[in-house]
Amino acid sequence: MKQMLKNTKGIILDLDGTILDSSWVWEMVDIKFLGDRGFEVPDDYVESISPMGAEKAAIYTIERFGLHNEKPEDLVREWFDMAKAEYRNKVVCKPGAKNFIKKMYSQGMKLALATSSDRELFIPTLDREGILQYFNVIVTVDEVEKGKGFPDIYEEAARRICVPVEQCVVFEDIITAVRGAKSGGFKVVAVEDEKSLCNADEIKQISDFYISSYKQLLF
């Protein structure tokens, strides 16, 4: 890992589950949203919507659960209203993440954020956590053609920080995103998160490095 970072000039980081300890927020939102409509959360639901932006996730949810009387923009607003207070007041960085980001920045790395979340939610959190200023660029899946099962968002982040793919490392937590980044030729560090433990063995096989904590990288 140390050698891999030595040859790296750009780091592209996912947000939820990778930098932020926020999976519990979306678990709460999913349970309440679907529960209010008489559904339990299917085992594969989180994995299915995590690589999508909010609008595409809303369309998927309407189709999957037959919520044809509801509009995607109304679902997104309901989700955001439930999550906003938690992001503003309670969501924090994973242990060691802030120190790792600051260290990479101090060493001259170009840092990009590549996320399927929405700026309305995470900008106040990153500002409160004191790390917003370290990111050279922020790219969301709504700004590219395909979701995180494909390399589009990572390629766009690399383009914006002007670092070749072969000199970038992507940090991700979910199996779909790890596959997407690897398909674009990126080196990938997989970050352990509770929602992805069911896929941990496969994630370890296809990523270049797997960490359970950023403290492993603070050498």
Side-chain angles (χ1 to χ4, degrees), residues 39-63:
F39 299 101
E40 293 186 355
V41 181
D43 291 341
D44 65 337
Y45 180 68
V46 173
E47 184 178 340
S48 297
I49 66 170
S50 290
M52 305 176 186
E55 183 178 354
K56 290 179 181 177
I59 293 170
Y60 172 87
T61 300
I62 288 170
E63 292 299 320

mmCIF file with all atom_site columns, all heavy atoms in Angstrom, residues 39-63:
data_model
loop_
_atom_site.group_PDB
_atom_site.id
_atom_site.type_symbol
_atom_site.label_atom_id
_atom_site.label_alt_id
_atom_site.label_comp_id
_atom_site.label_asym_id
_atom_site.label_entity_id
_atom_site.label_seq_id
_atom_site.pdbx_PDB_ins_code
_atom_site.Cartn_x
_atom_site.Cartn_y
_atom_site.Cartn_z
_atom_site.occupancy
_atom_site.B_iso_or_equiv
_atom_site.pdbx_formal_charge
_atom_site.auth_seq_id
_atom_site.auth_comp_id
_atom_site.auth_asym_id
_atom_site.auth_atom_id
_atom_site.pdbx_PDB_model_num
ATOM 1   N N   . PHE A 1 39 ? -44.098 -1.809  3.092   1.00 0.00 ? 39 PHE A N   1
ATOM 2   C CA  . PHE A 1 39 ? -43.059 -2.715  2.603   1.00 0.00 ? 39 PHE A CA  1
ATOM 3   C C   . PHE A 1 39 ? -41.931 -2.836  3.620   1.00 0.00 ? 39 PHE A C   1
ATOM 4   O O   . PHE A 1 39 ? -41.638 -1.895  4.365   1.00 0.00 ? 39 PHE A O   1
ATOM 5   C CB  . PHE A 1 39 ? -42.454 -2.205  1.287   1.00 0.00 ? 39 PHE A CB  1
ATOM 6   C CG  . PHE A 1 39 ? -43.430 -2.079  0.164   1.00 0.00 ? 39 PHE A CG  1
ATOM 7   C CD1 . PHE A 1 39 ? -43.958 -0.834  -0.182  1.00 0.00 ? 39 PHE A CD1 1
ATOM 8   C CD2 . PHE A 1 39 ? -43.832 -3.191  -0.554  1.00 0.00 ? 39 PHE A CD2 1
ATOM 9   C CE1 . PHE A 1 39 ? -44.852 -0.696  -1.222  1.00 0.00 ? 39 PHE A CE1 1
ATOM 10  C CE2 . PHE A 1 39 ? -44.737 -3.066  -1.607  1.00 0.00 ? 39 PHE A CE2 1
ATOM 11  C CZ  . PHE A 1 39 ? -45.252 -1.811  -1.935  1.00 0.00 ? 39 PHE A CZ  1
ATOM 12  N N   . GLU A 1 40 ? -41.293 -3.997  3.632   1.00 0.00 ? 40 GLU A N   1
ATOM 13  C CA  . GLU A 1 40 ? -40.016 -4.151  4.322   1.00 0.00 ? 40 GLU A CA  1
ATOM 14  C C   . GLU A 1 40 ? -38.891 -3.858  3.335   1.00 0.00 ? 40 GLU A C   1
ATOM 15  O O   . GLU A 1 40 ? -39.092 -3.921  2.119   1.00 0.00 ? 40 GLU A O   1
ATOM 16  C CB  . GLU A 1 40 ? -39.873 -5.570  4.885   1.00 0.00 ? 40 GLU A CB  1
ATOM 17  C CG  . GLU A 1 40 ? -40.855 -5.892  6.001   1.00 0.00 ? 40 GLU A CG  1
ATOM 18  C CD  . GLU A 1 40 ? -40.591 -7.253  6.621   1.00 0.00 ? 40 GLU A CD  1
ATOM 19  O OE1 . GLU A 1 40 ? -39.699 -7.983  6.118   1.00 0.00 ? 40 GLU A OE1 1
ATOM 20  O OE2 . GLU A 1 40 ? -41.286 -7.593  7.597   1.00 0.00 ? 40 GLU A OE2 1
ATOM 21  N N   . VAL A 1 41 ? -37.721 -3.548  3.851   1.00 0.00 ? 41 VAL A N   1
ATOM 22  C CA  . VAL A 1 41 ? -36.585 -3.243  2.978   1.00 0.00 ? 41 VAL A CA  1
ATOM 23  C C   . VAL A 1 41 ? -35.982 -4.552  2.466   1.00 0.00 ? 41 VAL A C   1
ATOM 24  O O   . VAL A 1 41 ? -35.488 -5.358  3.256   1.00 0.00 ? 41 VAL A O   1
ATOM 25  C CB  . VAL A 1 41 ? -35.505 -2.441  3.728   1.00 0.00 ? 41 VAL A CB  1
ATOM 26  C CG1 . VAL A 1 41 ? -34.349 -2.110  2.783   1.00 0.00 ? 41 VAL A CG1 1
ATOM 27  C CG2 . VAL A 1 41 ? -36.089 -1.156  4.321   1.00 0.00 ? 41 VAL A CG2 1
ATOM 28  N N   . PRO A 1 42 ? -36.022 -4.823  1.158   1.00 0.00 ? 42 PRO A N   1
ATOM 29  C CA  . PRO A 1 42 ? -35.433 -6.051  0.620   1.00 0.00 ? 42 PRO A CA  1
ATOM 30  C C   . PRO A 1 42 ? -33.925 -6.095  0.853   1.00 0.00 ? 42 PRO A C   1
ATOM 31  O O   . PRO A 1 42 ? -33.261 -5.056  0.937   1.00 0.00 ? 42 PRO A O   1
ATOM 32  C CB  . PRO A 1 42 ? -35.742 -5.974  -0.881  1.00 0.00 ? 42 PRO A CB  1
ATOM 33  C CG  . PRO A 1 42 ? -36.878 -5.003  -0.997  1.00 0.00 ? 42 PRO A CG  1
ATOM 34  C CD  . PRO A 1 42 ? -36.673 -4.018  0.106   1.00 0.00 ? 42 PRO A CD  1
ATOM 35  N N   . ASP A 1 43 ? -33.385 -7.300  0.930   1.00 0.00 ? 43 ASP A N   1
ATOM 36  C CA  . ASP A 1 43 ? -31.956 -7.465  1.220   1.00 0.00 ? 43 ASP A CA  1
ATOM 37  C C   . ASP A 1 43 ? -31.070 -6.778  0.195   1.00 0.00 ? 43 ASP A C   1
ATOM 38  O O   . ASP A 1 43 ? -29.980 -6.304  0.525   1.00 0.00 ? 43 ASP A O   1
ATOM 39  C CB  . ASP A 1 43 ? -31.609 -8.952  1.290   1.00 0.00 ? 43 ASP A CB  1
ATOM 40  C CG  . ASP A 1 43 ? -32.210 -9.638  2.515   1.00 0.00 ? 43 ASP A CG  1
ATOM 41  O OD1 . ASP A 1 43 ? -32.568 -8.918  3.469   1.00 0.00 ? 43 ASP A OD1 1
ATOM 42  O OD2 . ASP A 1 43 ? -32.329 -10.874 2.498   1.00 0.00 ? 43 ASP A OD2 1
ATOM 43  N N   . ASP A 1 44 ? -31.517 -6.745  -1.063  1.00 0.00 ? 44 ASP A N   1
ATOM 44  C CA  . ASP A 1 44 ? -30.670 -6.204  -2.130  1.00 0.00 ? 44 ASP A CA  1
ATOM 45  C C   . ASP A 1 44 ? -30.976 -4.746  -2.463  1.00 0.00 ? 44 ASP A C   1
ATOM 46  O O   . ASP A 1 44 ? -30.394 -4.183  -3.384  1.00 0.00 ? 44 ASP A O   1
ATOM 47  C CB  . ASP A 1 44 ? -30.809 -7.051  -3.397  1.00 0.00 ? 44 ASP A CB  1
ATOM 48  C CG  . ASP A 1 44 ? -32.216 -6.985  -3.993  1.00 0.00 ? 44 ASP A CG  1
ATOM 49  O OD1 . ASP A 1 44 ? -33.176 -6.674  -3.235  1.00 0.00 ? 44 ASP A OD1 1
ATOM 50  O OD2 . ASP A 1 44 ? -32.367 -7.233  -5.199  1.00 0.00 ? 44 ASP A OD2 1
ATOM 51  N N   . TYR A 1 45 ? -31.869 -4.120  -1.704  1.00 0.00 ? 45 TYR A N   1
ATOM 52  C CA  . TYR A 1 45 ? -32.309 -2.766  -2.062  1.00 0.00 ? 45 TYR A CA  1
ATOM 53  C C   . TYR A 1 45 ? -31.183 -1.741  -1.947  1.00 0.00 ? 45 TYR A C   1
ATOM 54  O O   . TYR A 1 45 ? -30.943 -0.955  -2.861  1.00 0.00 ? 45 TYR A O   1
ATOM 55  C CB  . TYR A 1 45 ? -33.492 -2.363  -1.185  1.00 0.00 ? 45 TYR A CB  1
ATOM 56  C CG  . TYR A 1 45 ? -34.033 -0.975  -1.467  1.00 0.00 ? 45 TYR A CG  1
ATOM 57  C CD1 . TYR A 1 45 ? -34.682 -0.688  -2.670  1.00 0.00 ? 45 TYR A CD1 1
ATOM 58  C CD2 . TYR A 1 45 ? -33.900 0.049   -0.529  1.00 0.00 ? 45 TYR A CD2 1
ATOM 59  C CE1 . TYR A 1 45 ? -35.182 0.581   -2.932  1.00 0.00 ? 45 TYR A CE1 1
ATOM 60  C CE2 . TYR A 1 45 ? -34.398 1.323   -0.783  1.00 0.00 ? 45 TYR A CE2 1
ATOM 61  C CZ  . TYR A 1 45 ? -35.034 1.579   -1.979  1.00 0.00 ? 45 TYR A CZ  1
ATOM 62  O OH  . TYR A 1 45 ? -35.513 2.838   -2.238  1.00 0.00 ? 45 TYR A OH  1
ATOM 63  N N   . VAL A 1 46 ? -30.483 -1.753  -0.817  1.00 0.00 ? 46 VAL A N   1
ATOM 64  C CA  . VAL A 1 46 ? -29.418 -0.769  -0.597  1.00 0.00 ? 46 VAL A CA  1
ATOM 65  C C   . VAL A 1 46 ? -28.325 -0.921  -1.648  1.00 0.00 ? 46 VAL A C   1
ATOM 66  O O   . VAL A 1 46 ? -27.844 0.059   -2.224  1.00 0.00 ? 46 VAL A O   1
ATOM 67  C CB  . VAL A 1 46 ? -28.830 -0.903  0.817   1.00 0.00 ? 46 VAL A CB  1
ATOM 68  C CG1 . VAL A 1 46 ? -27.615 0.007   0.982   1.00 0.00 ? 46 VAL A CG1 1
ATOM 69  C CG2 . VAL A 1 46 ? -29.880 -0.538  1.860   1.00 0.00 ? 46 VAL A CG2 1
ATOM 70  N N   . GLU A 1 47 ? -27.933 -2.169  -1.919  1.00 0.00 ? 47 GLU A N   1
ATOM 71  C CA  . GLU A 1 47 ? -26.894 -2.407  -2.924  1.00 0.00 ? 47 GLU A CA  1
ATOM 72  C C   . GLU A 1 47 ? -27.339 -1.938  -4.304  1.00 0.00 ? 47 GLU A C   1
ATOM 73  O O   . GLU A 1 47 ? -26.535 -1.440  -5.090  1.00 0.00 ? 47 GLU A O   1
ATOM 74  C CB  . GLU A 1 47 ? -26.544 -3.892  -2.969  1.00 0.00 ? 47 GLU A CB  1
ATOM 75  C CG  . GLU A 1 47 ? -25.415 -4.229  -3.919  1.00 0.00 ? 47 GLU A CG  1
ATOM 76  C CD  . GLU A 1 47 ? -25.049 -5.709  -3.910  1.00 0.00 ? 47 GLU A CD  1
ATOM 77  O OE1 . GLU A 1 47 ? -25.395 -6.398  -2.933  1.00 0.00 ? 47 GLU A OE1 1
ATOM 78  O OE2 . GLU A 1 47 ? -24.432 -6.166  -4.881  1.00 0.00 ? 47 GLU A OE2 1
ATOM 79  N N   . SER A 1 48 ? -28.642 -2.067  -4.578  1.00 0.00 ? 48 SER A N   1
ATOM 80  C CA  . SER A 1 48 ? -29.165 -1.675  -5.891  1.00 0.00 ? 48 SER A CA  1
ATOM 81  C C   . SER A 1 48 ? -29.167 -0.172  -6.088  1.00 0.00 ? 48 SER A C   1
ATOM 82  O O   . SER A 1 48 ? -28.825 0.324   -7.171  1.00 0.00 ? 48 SER A O   1
ATOM 83  C CB  . SER A 1 48 ? -30.590 -2.210  -6.068  1.00 0.00 ? 48 SER A CB  1
ATOM 84  O OG  . SER A 1 48 ? -30.609 -3.622  -6.040  1.00 0.00 ? 48 SER A OG  1
ATOM 85  N N   . ILE A 1 49 ? -29.541 0.596   -5.048  1.00 0.00 ? 49 ILE A N   1
ATOM 86  C CA  . ILE A 1 49 ? -29.686 2.043   -5.233  1.00 0.00 ? 49 ILE A CA  1
ATOM 87  C C   . ILE A 1 49 ? -28.426 2.836   -4.879  1.00 0.00 ? 49 ILE A C   1
ATOM 88  O O   . ILE A 1 49 ? -28.289 3.982   -5.301  1.00 0.00 ? 49 ILE A O   1
ATOM 89  C CB  . ILE A 1 49 ? -30.883 2.605   -4.435  1.00 0.00 ? 49 ILE A CB  1
ATOM 90  C CG1 . ILE A 1 49 ? -30.657 2.476   -2.923  1.00 0.00 ? 49 ILE A CG1 1
ATOM 91  C CG2 . ILE A 1 49 ? -32.177 1.952   -4.870  1.00 0.00 ? 49 ILE A CG2 1
ATOM 92  C CD1 . ILE A 1 49 ? -31.692 3.226   -2.096  1.00 0.00 ? 49 ILE A CD1 1
ATOM 93  N N   . SER A 1 50 ? -27.506 2.223   -4.123  1.00 0.00 ? 50 SER A N   1
ATOM 94  C CA  . SER A 1 50 ? -26.330 2.981   -3.668  1.00 0.00 ? 50 SER A CA  1
ATOM 95  C C   . SER A 1 50 ? -25.507 3.584   -4.806  1.00 0.00 ? 50 SER A C   1
ATOM 96  O O   . SER A 1 50 ? -24.991 4.696   -4.660  1.00 0.00 ? 50 SER A O   1
ATOM 97  C CB  . SER A 1 50 ? -25.433 2.090   -2.794  1.00 0.00 ? 50 SER A CB  1
ATOM 98  O OG  . SER A 1 50 ? -26.057 1.819   -1.564  1.00 0.00 ? 50 SER A OG  1
ATOM 99  N N   . PRO A 1 51 ? -25.321 2.901   -5.945  1.00 0.00 ? 51 PRO A N   1
ATOM 100 C CA  . PRO A 1 51 ? -24.507 3.512   -7.012  1.00 0.00 ? 51 PRO A CA  1
ATOM 101 C C   . PRO A 1 51 ? -25.229 4.603   -7.788  1.00 0.00 ? 51 PRO A C   1
ATOM 102 O O   . PRO A 1 51 ? -24.624 5.268   -8.618  1.00 0.00 ? 51 PRO A O   1
ATOM 103 C CB  . PRO A 1 51 ? -24.196 2.321   -7.932  1.00 0.00 ? 51 PRO A CB  1
ATOM 104 C CG  . PRO A 1 51 ? -24.594 1.095   -7.182  1.00 0.00 ? 51 PRO A CG  1
ATOM 105 C CD  . PRO A 1 51 ? -25.676 1.516   -6.259  1.00 0.00 ? 51 PRO A CD  1
ATOM 106 N N   . MET A 1 52 ? -26.549 4.770   -7.546  1.00 0.00 ? 52 MET A N   1
ATOM 107 C CA  . MET A 1 52 ? -27.345 5.711   -8.326  1.00 0.00 ? 52 MET A CA  1
ATOM 108 C C   . MET A 1 52 ? -27.371 7.085   -7.655  1.00 0.00 ? 52 MET A C   1
ATOM 109 O O   . MET A 1 52 ? -27.162 7.216   -6.466  1.00 0.00 ? 52 MET A O   1
ATOM 110 C CB  . MET A 1 52 ? -28.789 5.206   -8.440  1.00 0.00 ? 52 MET A CB  1
ATOM 111 C CG  . MET A 1 52 ? -28.965 3.818   -8.994  1.00 0.00 ? 52 MET A CG  1
ATOM 112 S SD  . MET A 1 52 ? -30.718 3.336   -8.952  1.00 0.00 ? 52 MET A SD  1
ATOM 113 C CE  . MET A 1 52 ? -30.596 1.623   -9.495  1.00 0.00 ? 52 MET A CE  1
ATOM 114 N N   . GLY A 1 53 ? -27.681 8.092   -8.428  1.00 0.00 ? 53 GLY A N   1
ATOM 115 C CA  . GLY A 1 53 ? -28.039 9.374   -7.847  1.00 0.00 ? 53 GLY A CA  1
ATOM 116 C C   . GLY A 1 53 ? -29.455 9.311   -7.310  1.00 0.00 ? 53 GLY A C   1
ATOM 117 O O   . GLY A 1 53 ? -30.191 8.339   -7.538  1.00 0.00 ? 53 GLY A O   1
ATOM 118 N N   . ALA A 1 54 ? -29.871 10.365  -6.605  1.00 0.00 ? 54 ALA A N   1
ATOM 119 C CA  . ALA A 1 54 ? -31.176 10.354  -5.948  1.00 0.00 ? 54 ALA A CA  1
ATOM 120 C C   . ALA A 1 54 ? -32.329 10.206  -6.932  1.00 0.00 ? 54 ALA A C   1
ATOM 121 O O   . ALA A 1 54 ? -33.270 9.440   -6.698  1.00 0.00 ? 54 ALA A O   1
ATOM 122 C CB  . ALA A 1 54 ? -31.343 11.632  -5.128  1.00 0.00 ? 54 ALA A CB  1
ATOM 123 N N   . GLU A 1 55 ? -32.266 10.907  -8.052  1.00 0.00 ? 55 GLU A N   1
ATOM 124 C CA  . GLU A 1 55 ? -33.370 10.854  -9.012  1.00 0.00 ? 55 GLU A CA  1
ATOM 125 C C   . GLU A 1 55 ? -33.523 9.459   -9.609  1.00 0.00 ? 55 GLU A C   1
ATOM 126 O O   . GLU A 1 55 ? -34.638 8.921   -9.690  1.00 0.00 ? 55 GLU A O   1
ATOM 127 C CB  . GLU A 1 55 ? -33.160 11.872  -10.126 1.00 0.00 ? 55 GLU A CB  1
ATOM 128 C CG  . GLU A 1 55 ? -34.322 11.912  -11.107 1.00 0.00 ? 55 GLU A CG  1
ATOM 129 C CD  . GLU A 1 55 ? -34.138 12.951  -12.202 1.00 0.00 ? 55 GLU A CD  1
ATOM 130 O OE1 . GLU A 1 55 ? -33.163 13.717  -12.137 1.00 0.00 ? 55 GLU A OE1 1
ATOM 131 O OE2 . GLU A 1 55 ? -34.977 12.993  -13.121 1.00 0.00 ? 55 GLU A OE2 1
ATOM 132 N N   . LYS A 1 56 ? -32.413 8.847   -10.002 1.00 0.00 ? 56 LYS A N   1
ATOM 133 C CA  . LYS A 1 56 ? -32.491 7.499   -10.570 1.00 0.00 ? 56 LYS A CA  1
ATOM 134 C C   . LYS A 1 56 ? -32.922 6.486   -9.521  1.00 0.00 ? 56 LYS A C   1
ATOM 135 O O   . LYS A 1 56 ? -33.648 5.533   -9.813  1.00 0.00 ? 56 LYS A O   1
ATOM 136 C CB  . LYS A 1 56 ? -31.137 7.113   -11.170 1.00 0.00 ? 56 LYS A CB  1
ATOM 137 C CG  . LYS A 1 56 ? -30.790 7.897   -12.430 1.00 0.00 ? 56 LYS A CG  1
ATOM 138 C CD  . LYS A 1 56 ? -29.432 7.509   -12.985 1.00 0.00 ? 56 LYS A CD  1
ATOM 139 C CE  . LYS A 1 56 ? -29.099 8.319   -14.227 1.00 0.00 ? 56 LYS A CE  1
ATOM 140 N NZ  . LYS A 1 56 ? -27.748 8.014   -14.757 1.00 0.00 ? 56 LYS A NZ  1
ATOM 141 N N   . ALA A 1 57 ? -32.478 6.681   -8.270  1.00 0.00 ? 57 ALA A N   1
ATOM 142 C CA  . ALA A 1 57 ? -32.899 5.794   -7.186  1.00 0.00 ? 57 ALA A CA  1
ATOM 143 C C   . ALA A 1 57 ? -34.398 5.922   -6.948  1.00 0.00 ? 57 ALA A C   1
ATOM 144 O O   . ALA A 1 57 ? -35.089 4.922   -6.656  1.00 0.00 ? 57 ALA A O   1
ATOM 145 C CB  . ALA A 1 57 ? -32.134 6.115   -5.910  1.00 0.00 ? 57 ALA A CB  1
ATOM 146 N N   . ALA A 1 58 ? -34.926 7.130   -7.075  1.00 0.00 ? 58 ALA A N   1
ATOM 147 C CA  . ALA A 1 58 ? -36.366 7.350   -6.896  1.00 0.00 ? 58 ALA A CA  1
ATOM 148 C C   . ALA A 1 58 ? -37.158 6.659   -8.006  1.00 0.00 ? 58 ALA A C   1
ATOM 149 O O   . ALA A 1 58 ? -38.186 6.013   -7.743  1.00 0.00 ? 58 ALA A O   1
ATOM 150 C CB  . ALA A 1 58 ? -36.665 8.841   -6.870  1.00 0.00 ? 58 ALA A CB  1
ATOM 151 N N   . ILE A 1 59 ? -36.696 6.791   -9.237  1.00 0.00 ? 59 ILE A N   1
ATOM 152 C CA  . ILE A 1 59 ? -37.368 6.126   -10.358 1.00 0.00 ? 59 ILE A CA  1
ATOM 153 C C   . ILE A 1 59 ? -37.345 4.617   -10.170 1.00 0.00 ? 59 ILE A C   1
ATOM 154 O O   . ILE A 1 59 ? -38.359 3.921   -10.366 1.00 0.00 ? 59 ILE A O   1
ATOM 155 C CB  . ILE A 1 59 ? -36.698 6.530   -11.685 1.00 0.00 ? 59 ILE A CB  1
ATOM 156 C CG1 . ILE A 1 59 ? -36.929 8.023   -11.965 1.00 0.00 ? 59 ILE A CG1 1
ATOM 157 C CG2 . ILE A 1 59 ? -37.219 5.683   -12.838 1.00 0.00 ? 59 ILE A CG2 1
ATOM 158 C CD1 . ILE A 1 59 ? -36.112 8.583   -13.110 1.00 0.00 ? 59 ILE A CD1 1
ATOM 159 N N   . TYR A 1 60 ? -36.185 4.089   -9.774  1.00 0.00 ? 60 TYR A N   1
ATOM 160 C CA  . TYR A 1 60 ? -36.059 2.653   -9.515  1.00 0.00 ? 60 TYR A CA  1
ATOM 161 C C   . TYR A 1 60 ? -37.032 2.211   -8.422  1.00 0.00 ? 60 TYR A C   1
ATOM 162 O O   . TYR A 1 60 ? -37.696 1.168   -8.542  1.00 0.00 ? 60 TYR A O   1
ATOM 163 C CB  . TYR A 1 60 ? -34.623 2.346   -9.099  1.00 0.00 ? 60 TYR A CB  1
ATOM 164 C CG  . TYR A 1 60 ? -34.392 0.936   -8.610  1.00 0.00 ? 60 TYR A CG  1
ATOM 165 C CD1 . TYR A 1 60 ? -34.100 -0.094  -9.500  1.00 0.00 ? 60 TYR A CD1 1
ATOM 166 C CD2 . TYR A 1 60 ? -34.460 0.631   -7.245  1.00 0.00 ? 60 TYR A CD2 1
ATOM 167 C CE1 . TYR A 1 60 ? -33.892 -1.392  -9.050  1.00 0.00 ? 60 TYR A CE1 1
ATOM 168 C CE2 . TYR A 1 60 ? -34.251 -0.657  -6.793  1.00 0.00 ? 60 TYR A CE2 1
ATOM 169 C CZ  . TYR A 1 60 ? -33.971 -1.663  -7.689  1.00 0.00 ? 60 TYR A CZ  1
ATOM 170 O OH  . TYR A 1 60 ? -33.766 -2.944  -7.244  1.00 0.00 ? 60 TYR A OH  1
ATOM 171 N N   . THR A 1 61 ? -37.127 2.988   -7.356  1.00 0.00 ? 61 THR A N   1
ATOM 172 C CA  . THR A 1 61 ? -37.992 2.637   -6.228  1.00 0.00 ? 61 THR A CA  1
ATOM 173 C C   . THR A 1 61 ? -39.458 2.638   -6.640  1.00 0.00 ? 61 THR A C   1
ATOM 174 O O   . THR A 1 61 ? -40.226 1.731   -6.273  1.00 0.00 ? 61 THR A O   1
ATOM 175 C CB  . THR A 1 61 ? -37.761 3.629   -5.068  1.00 0.00 ? 61 THR A CB  1
ATOM 176 O OG1 . THR A 1 61 ? -36.389 3.553   -4.661  1.00 0.00 ? 61 THR A OG1 1
ATOM 177 C CG2 . THR A 1 61 ? -38.655 3.302   -3.880  1.00 0.00 ? 61 THR A CG2 1
ATOM 178 N N   . ILE A 1 62 ? -39.859 3.629   -7.421  1.00 0.00 ? 62 ILE A N   1
ATOM 179 C CA  . ILE A 1 62 ? -41.241 3.688   -7.902  1.00 0.00 ? 62 ILE A CA  1
ATOM 180 C C   . ILE A 1 62 ? -41.571 2.460   -8.737  1.00 0.00 ? 62 ILE A C   1
ATOM 181 O O   . ILE A 1 62 ? -42.631 1.830   -8.566  1.00 0.00 ? 62 ILE A O   1
ATOM 182 C CB  . ILE A 1 62 ? -41.459 4.980   -8.713  1.00 0.00 ? 62 ILE A CB  1
ATOM 183 C CG1 . ILE A 1 62 ? -41.489 6.191   -7.771  1.00 0.00 ? 62 ILE A CG1 1
ATOM 184 C CG2 . ILE A 1 62 ? -42.754 4.907   -9.520  1.00 0.00 ? 62 ILE A CG2 1
ATOM 185 C CD1 . ILE A 1 62 ? -41.447 7.527   -8.478  1.00 0.00 ? 62 ILE A CD1 1
ATOM 186 N N   . GLU A 1 63 ? -40.666 2.087   -9.627  1.00 0.00 ? 63 GLU A N   1
ATOM 187 C CA  . GLU A 1 63 ? -40.902 0.921   -10.488 1.00 0.00 ? 63 GLU A CA  1
ATOM 188 C C   . GLU A 1 63 ? -40.898 -0.373  -9.683  1.00 0.00 ? 63 GLU A C   1
ATOM 189 O O   . GLU A 1 63 ? -41.772 -1.234  -9.862  1.00 0.00 ? 63 GLU A O   1
ATOM 190 C CB  . GLU A 1 63 ? -39.843 0.868   -11.596 1.00 0.00 ? 63 GLU A CB  1
ATOM 191 C CG  . GLU A 1 63 ? -39.964 1.986   -12.612 1.00 0.00 ? 63 GLU A CG  1
ATOM 192 C CD  . GLU A 1 63 ? -41.299 1.947   -13.343 1.00 0.00 ? 63 GLU A CD  1
ATOM 193 O OE1 . GLU A 1 63 ? -41.759 0.842   -13.683 1.00 0.00 ? 63 GLU A OE1 1
ATOM 194 O OE2 . GLU A 1 63 ? -41.879 3.023   -13.561 1.00 0.00 ? 63 GLU A OE2 1
#
